[in-house]
Amino acid sequence: MSWLHIGRLWTNGEPYLAVDSDLRRHWHGSDDEVYEQLIVALSAEQTSISVGSATAALLGDGVVRDDSWMEVFTAADGRIAVIQAGGPDYRTAVTAALSYPIDADDLDGDLGVPSGEIALFSSACDGVGENSMELIAPRPGPIPAEHGWPSPELDTGLLLSASSPRYRLRSRSYTELDHVGCFARWLLIPATID
């Protein structure tokens, strides 16, 4: 399968949400009580959370790295991959994570996208308003050669066009790669092909 790199998301250890764009107004992660009660208290195995009347996927694995980039990819069949990787050869670790077999990944449920857009943003921010992060369009480009440090600019999320009204979430937690590094992976697979 051929993957296209479309963006990077910087995390300070907090997971990102993948949610239908119309529902992001219901998320208030900048409120310390909401964040502490709904995110910090979660078990490491939990990969979804209620937002408004639906479910959001939780993306991020503090085990790979706590301060980290998450690389976002799309494929021609509509799949979306989010990879968190570490190791001496960063690009090789990310590429290996993309091609790693999915048959042992956890199947974590569905993500409905009736609006046709998926918002990816930090769970420590609000979905909209003064305490939200700007959501930008995909920016296709090469896989970064190095992990690197965060940009001095404000962190941004992504706003992606959905190819399906429903996705299945498959996740793989911390996984070691022989002599290459480690990764965690989240796949959003259009329900029509899973």
Side-chain angles (χ1 to χ4, degrees), residues 68-88:
S68 180
W69 286 110
M70 292 189 294
E71 309 296 347
V72 184
F73 297 84
T74 57
D77 66 1
R79 294 177 198 228
I80 299 167
V82 178
I83 305 290
Q84 203 166 8

Side-chain angles (χ1 to χ4, degrees), residues 66 77 93 110 151 154 178 191:
D66 53 0
D77 66 1
D110 292 348
S151 165
L154 289 176
D178 292 342

Side-chain angles (χ1 to χ4, degrees), residues 8 134 164:
R8 310 181 92 188
E134 178 185 3
S164 172

Side-chain angles (χ1 to χ4, degrees), residues 81-130:
V82 178
I83 305 290
Q84 203 166 8
D89 185 340
Y90 185 70
R91 182 178 285 158
T92 299
V94 171
T95 302
L98 286 168
S99 62
Y100 206 84
I102 69 168
D103 51 340
D105 288 10
D106 293 327
L107 183 56
D108 297 308
D110 292 348
L111 175 67
V113 192
S115 75
E117 290 185 316
I118 300 170
L120 300 176
F121 61 92
S122 170
S123 62
C125 296
D126 290 344
V128 296
E130 181 182 350

Side-chain angles (χ1 to χ4, degrees), residues 4-9 24 72 74 117-120 133-141 156-161:
L4 175 65
H5 185 264
I6 60 165
R8 310 181 92 188
L9 305 170
R24 62 190 170 115
V72 184
T74 57
E117 290 185 316
I118 300 170
L120 300 176
M133 64 176 17
E134 178 185 3
L135 302 184
I136 62 171
R139 295 180 178 169
T156 58
L158 287 171
L159 189 60
L160 309 177
S161 292

